[in-house]
Amino acid sequence: MVQYNFKKITVVPTGKDFVDIILSRTQRQTPTVVHKGYAISRIRQFYMRKVKYTQQNFHEKLSTIIDEFPRLDDIHPFYGDLLHVLYNKDHYKLALGQINTARNLIGKVSKDYVKLLKYGDSLYRCKSLKVAALGRMCTVIKRIGPSLAYLEQIRQHMARLPSIDPNTRTILICGYPNVGKSSFINKITRADVDVQPYAFTTKSLFVGHTDYKYLRYQVIDTPGILDRPFEDRNIIEMCSITALAHLRAAVLFFLDLSGSCGYSIAQQAALFHSIKSLFMNKPLVIVCNKTDLQPLETLPEEDMKLVMEMKSEAMKTVVGEGGEPTDDAGVLLTMSTLTEEGVIAVKNAACERLLNQRVELKMKSKKINDCLNRFHVAIPKPRDQKERPVCIPQAVLEAKAKKAEEAAEKEKRKLERDLENENGGAGVYSASLKKHYILANDEWKEDIMPEILDGHNVYDFIDPDILQRLEELEREEGLRQEQEADDDFEMDDTELTPEQQELLAQIRKKKSLLIQQHRMKKATGGRRPTVPRLFDKDRQFTSGRMGRELSRVGIDPSLAINRARDKSRGRKRERSSERGDDNAMDVDGGQLRKKLRRSIDTSRSSRSRSRSRNPNEVVPGEGLKDSAQKAKARKLDKKSSNKRNKDAKRGEADRTIPNLKPKHLFSGKRSTGKTQRR
């Protein structure tokens, strides 16, 4: 079973293609026609839909990228470390983090601009907001263009990675470069790994599959490893180290006895001792290859001593039941991939040792107890020569016979096909779908159930819990009526004194008046104008009434009444005096009148009325040289706002007819070279 299939990751488009795809989809999937004559709510909805749809498409695409790329912390450690070796997990996580940040930014931009679009007051403003929103989203995507390109390169490389299942039966081949690893995997599997007579022909992991005892085994060919410090190893060697560290597999360590690989047996033994910590608790087989060039028996004594040391170390890597090393059978094997001598023996030995170890681990686990508890095989020992045949209880025989009868009856039962053949065949016989209904009375099965009755859908009135709900409603209604009965407490007038009754009547009268006034104010929506005293027919706002009200409270009203009279007379006196002064000063011109007015203003008390400034008077800092220029500017400003004010006051009830026949569509055919107007 392939656990991780990186070939299914969706293609990551470039930043420019990303923008083109989303904007094209928005244009195709949303309405494209809007007129300035539409209601403003409809125009807002049109542009809000554009912004929301674009954001949803961006969010969907970016979420697909984030979800489909594997999380290094969630996948198997083998794949996590392999991806880190190949791509550097810091850069990988940064790229995915930028995609996630872009997704959040686009969501925030959409939210902000939809909020602004809700208050758009014209088609032009709504369109401008839509353009700004889409532009900011596209800018965010353009900024993450390098991350998208980086992820696309990673996707292409990951699609070429072999499909390795870290949990299945695995045989791992390792050793120095050019010792015959790829030739061996080509012999025992259908893999076609390139074989050349120089080092590092294999630059990545290759996978093949072989069978042993009707079980499928996964064989992994790793690149060659050199004996040097861990920090100095390159990416090709780190692929092999990662596989050795994380895969539970049988390890085949290849030795080239002939030295034709370019490395001596001492160097290969040094590599073995430097990485032997990676072989712990794994079945290890040391394979002496190229015996056609250099048999094991003819090795020099020094080299033979090194090989035997490696064999003893290999026996220590896997211990048996009591903590003792396992037997040395199958630890050191010889073969030649050229003559194929010993190739199958090496494969069988590795598979057998791996199988034994996996069975042993399962026997030690707790799962074996659950399996053993499910079955028990009893083999009684014979006591004498008497035969004791199998005895089946009578109840079992009867149950078996009953089942046989039911099966026979089931076979005899007529099928719908048989009934159809008996009743005229297809097109004549119609199968009844109601005969298997489970009803209280079988006669009800063929009743016709109306779907529409008195203009109502019957199904809307069918509720299996209607009685229960009715009881709950009645219970709630009873509780509510009891509470209302408790709350409705009326004061009895007979228990009050005459003064209290009179006071109660005044309170009720005042309350009813307040309620009436509130209802009148509510009916007009609070838009009643302030009534001038000239039209105060009911004399509700007089100083006499105010004095009576203040006296009743216990406040001296004389000061308030005098102040109100002074305010009401002040402007009249001023006008009359000014009018008389103006008549007297007409002969002398406006200068004397201004002087007199200024002297009156200085002598007048602080409660006199302030004069308004002439709208055409130039204020310092406005940037206008004189009042004539300011008057002209105010006139132009008012004229320019006329159309805007008119459009702003226009509503749906004004019966405006938008221009639904644009000239370029309804002005007849165009001759050659007449398209400039468009």
Side-chain angles (χ1 to χ4, degrees), residues 30 64 120 136 178 203 243 288 355 381 387 494 522 529 609 629 632 645:
T30 55
T64 303
R136 285 186 63 184
N178 204 24
K203 295 182 180 178
C288 299
L355 195 59
K381 295 180 180 180
E387 283 191 18
T494 58
K522 190 176 179 183
R609 186 184 179 212
Q629 191 177 15
K632 188 175 181 181
N645 293 340

Side-chain angles (χ1 to χ4, degrees), residues 491-497 501:
M491 185 179 287
D492 192 3
D493 295 352
T494 58
E495 299 177 2
L496 302 176
T497 61
Q501 288 181 3

Side-chain angles (χ1 to χ4, degrees), residues 297-562:
E297 297 79 18
T298 61
L299 272 180
E301 187 177 348
E302 296 174 2
D303 293 342
M304 181 62 79
K305 187 178 179 182
L306 292 173
V307 173
M308 288 301 137
E309 285 179 5
M310 294 166 61
K311 180 180 178 182
S312 61
E313 290 289 341
M315 291 172 61
K316 292 178 185 177
T317 55
V318 181
V319 295
E321 291 281 344
E324 294 294 327
T326 57
D327 59 341
D328 59 347
V331 174
L332 181 64
L333 297 174
T334 59
M335 74 167 193
S336 172
T337 52
L338 183 66
T339 61
E340 297 188 10
E341 180 185 351
V343 171
I344 300 301
V346 170
K347 183 196 90 167
N348 292 347
C351 294
E352 188 65 37
R353 295 197 64 190
L354 178 63
L355 195 59
N356 291 339
Q357 190 211 31
R358 289 172 69 92
V359 170
E360 209 172 293
L361 289 174
K362 286 183 180 177
M363 292 295 289
K364 289 179 182 177
S365 66
K366 294 180 180 178
K367 290 183 180 179
I368 192 66
N369 296 328
D370 299 335
C371 297
L372 291 175
N373 288 337
R374 294 179 195 168
F375 56 87
H376 174 67
V377 180
I379 304 175
K381 295 180 180 180
R383 295 175 298 181
D384 47 31
Q385 302 298 326
K386 187 184 287 188
E387 283 191 18
R388 291 179 173 83
V390 177
C391 177
I392 301 175
Q394 187 64 29
V396 176
L397 292 173
E398 290 176 359
K400 188 176 180 181
K402 189 176 180 181
K403 281 187 178 179
E405 289 177 5
E406 289 177 357
E409 186 181 348
K410 195 174 183 181
E411 288 180 0
K412 291 179 185 177
R413 190 175 62 196
K414 287 187 178 180
L415 304 175
E416 286 292 335
R417 182 176 57 197
D418 302 329
L419 293 173
E420 182 183 349
N421 294 333
E422 290 177 5
N423 293 289
V428 179
Y429 172 75
S430 179
S432 174
L433 302 177
K434 299 179 180 179
K435 58 183 169 185
H436 297 301
Y437 283 3
I438 302 172
L439 300 175
N441 192 345
D442 289 341
E443 296 177 358
W444 298 346
K445 289 182 179 179
E446 300 299 328
D447 288 352
I448 298 173
M449 180 73 176
E451 292 187 5
I452 304 295
L453 185 66
D454 297 335
H456 299 288
N457 191 347
V458 175
Y459 192 76
D460 294 342
F461 300 92
I462 297 175
D463 189 356
D465 304 330
I466 193 160
L467 294 176
Q468 181 182 351
R469 293 183 182 181
L470 183 61
E471 289 177 3
E472 291 177 358
L473 284 173
E474 289 176 348
R475 202 180 306 120
E476 289 179 8
E477 183 67 19
L479 291 172
R480 192 173 64 78
Q481 289 177 354
E482 289 176 5
Q483 290 177 356
E484 289 179 355
D486 294 342
D487 294 342
D488 291 345
F489 173 72
E490 286 290 335
M491 185 179 287
D492 192 3
D493 295 352
T494 58
E495 299 177 2
L496 302 176
T497 61
E499 293 103 358
Q500 290 175 339
Q501 288 181 3
E502 186 180 352
L503 192 59
L504 180 63
Q506 289 179 2
I507 290 170
R508 286 176 174 168
K509 184 178 179 183
K510 183 70 173 175
K511 184 178 178 182
S512 65
L513 285 173
L514 289 172
I515 291 172
Q516 289 176 10
Q517 288 177 2
H518 175 68
R519 285 176 180 166
M520 289 172 62
K521 193 182 292 184
K522 190 176 179 183
T524 57
R527 294 188 299 273
R528 293 185 66 190
T530 306
V531 181
R533 294 185 183 181
L534 181 65
F535 301 102
D536 187 13
K537 304 294 185 186
D538 300 334
R539 308 292 291 170
Q540 291 184 355
F541 307 103
T542 61
S543 59
R545 181 184 174 192
M546 180 177 67
R548 289 194 298 273
E549 293 287 340
L550 292 173
S551 300
R552 188 185 306 165
V553 177
I555 300 173
D556 184 15
S558 58
L559 290 173
I561 292 171
N562 291 335

Side-chain angles (χ1 to χ4, degrees), residues 47-266:
Y47 286 109
M48 279 195 284
R49 182 175 176 185
K50 292 265 187 190
V51 174
K52 285 180 184 175
Y53 189 82
T54 308
Q55 182 265 336
Q56 287 171 0
N57 278 330
F58 275 124
H59 187 277
E60 187 179 323
K61 283 273 186 187
L62 295 173
S63 298
T64 303
I65 294 172
I66 293 170
D67 294 340
E68 288 190 351
F69 274 87
R71 297 175 184 268
L72 299 186
D73 299 332
D74 297 345
I75 60 176
H76 193 277
F78 164 68
Y79 270 116
D81 275 8
L82 184 63
L83 296 181
H84 173 52
V85 165
L86 295 173
Y87 315 123
N88 190 341
K89 68 179 178 184
D90 295 335
H91 294 172
Y92 178 79
K93 287 183 177 180
L94 276 174
L96 287 178
Q98 287 182 347
I99 301 295
N100 188 34
T101 305
R103 182 177 65 175
N104 296 336
L105 282 174
I106 286 172
K108 190 176 179 184
V109 167
S110 169
K111 187 178 177 183
D112 293 345
Y113 276 89
V114 166
K115 194 180 293 184
L116 290 173
L117 276 166
K118 287 180 181 177
Y119 300 100
D121 56 357
S122 64
L123 186 144
Y124 174 76
R125 186 157 296 173
C126 291
K127 185 174 182 180
S128 300
L129 287 171
K130 186 265 295 187
V131 171
L134 267 58
R136 285 186 63 184
M137 292 181 194
C138 296
T139 304
V140 171
I141 293 298
K142 286 177 182 175
R143 282 180 185 165
I144 61 168
S147 297
L148 293 171
Y150 172 72
L151 288 175
E152 172 59 14
Q153 290 180 358
I154 287 182
R155 184 200 68 81
Q156 293 176 4
H157 196 279
M158 287 169 66
R160 294 193 290 269
L161 285 178
S163 298
I164 298 174
D165 185 0
N167 300 313
T168 191
R169 295 168 293 274
T170 307
I171 297 173
L172 199 62
I173 309 170
C174 67
Y176 256 95
N178 204 24
V179 294
K181 301 186 296 296
S182 300
S183 303
F184 177 72
I185 193 175
N186 287 345
K187 294 291 181 185
I188 65 169
T189 69
R190 297 178 62 187
D192 187 14
V193 184
D194 188 22
V195 177
Q196 297 294 340
Y198 49 81
F200 287 111
T201 309
T202 305
K203 295 182 180 178
S204 62
L205 300 176
F206 284 89
V207 181
H209 293 85
T210 187
D211 291 333
Y212 177 73
K213 288 188 177 178
Y214 303 103
L215 293 173
R216 179 59 57 91
Y217 285 80
Q218 179 178 255
V219 185
I220 301 178
D221 178 23
T222 63
I225 310 171
L226 299 178
D227 182 25
R228 52 184 176 179
F230 185 81
E231 298 80 12
D232 297 340
R233 291 197 167 104
N234 56 26
I235 292 176
I236 297 174
E237 295 173 86
M238 288 304 298
C239 291
S240 303
I241 299 295
T242 304
L244 283 169
H246 291 293
L247 294 179
R248 288 174 54 195
V251 180
L252 300 180
F253 187 83
F254 271 56
L255 284 175
D256 183 1
L257 299 180
S258 66
S260 60
C261 62
Y263 305 98
S264 65
I265 294 180

